[in-house]
Amino acid sequence: MGHPVERASGARAETELPPGQRLQRGWPVTHYGPVPKFRPERWDLQVFGATADGGKRAWSHEEFTALPYATVVADLHCVTKFSMLGAEWGGVPARAVLDLAPPAPGVTHVMVWAEYGFSANLRLADFASDHTVFATHKDGELLTAEHGFPARLIVPHLYAWKGPKWVRGVEYLTADRRGFWEQRGYHNIGDPWQEQRYTYQEQPGDGPGL
Ligand SMILES: Nc1nc2c(c(=O)[nH]1)N[C@H]1C(S)=C(S)[C@@H](COP(=O)(O)O)O[C@H]1N2
Ligand SMILES: [Mo]
């Protein structure tokens, strides 16, 4: 397909692992709860909350697959300490979603929603990174159901729980709010290079109260 491949800045050298991580052979499946069944006629990706025009935006699956496509090479770091290096993720850049459904000026964070109410909060700058992508493909192949088909968020510079599989929505926030794992003991920011694994490691300003 000839899409440009660029190296994610958060990923650094391919042989370098964030502190405390080890390399994993293959690609394990890690998530909480069941794998949702994909029903194309019921699926949409919604943008809501503090949008610039106060309205909501929703793309059907057909519309979503027609949005801009880009690839990014990035590593996946699970907070349980395994890492997978050098995957090529293909999908819709988060930047494209921000351009098509702009946030209001006061937006500082986003909540990314997935099936069954799973969620992850991100600073707007993390979501708006050039490397953040709603991945539909890995290494040129469609994602499998267990790995998040039809779309999962990849935020290369943060721990993988910040990237919901089976993503369904983006909520623009004017104040930070904790997502699913951020309410359950994981760090509000989750930078693997700073080893921000757990809530107790948070510094003042890293997150809202529990
Ligand atoms: N919807 C959803 N997405 C999720 C999770 C989850 O529990 N639910 N777990 C996250 C975690 S902790 C990791 S490590 C990665 C694992 O992705 P993989 O199963 O494709 O390796 O998915 C992330 N996305
Ligand atoms: Mo994880």
Side-chain angles (χ1 to χ4, degrees), residues 30 77-80 82 159-161 181:
T30 315
H77 306 298
C78 176
V79 69
T80 65
F82 74 80
Y159 283 117
W161 89 76
W181 287 120

Side-chain angles (χ1 to χ4, degrees), residues 178 182 185-188 195-204 206 210:
R178 290 176 186 269
E182 295 82 2
Y186 287 111
H187 197 284
N188 192 56
E195 219 174 343
Q196 294 174 332
R197 296 179 193 273
Y198 308 112
T199 310
Y200 71 79
Q201 298 171 308
E202 288 178 17
Q203 303 294 312
D206 281 347
L210 269 163

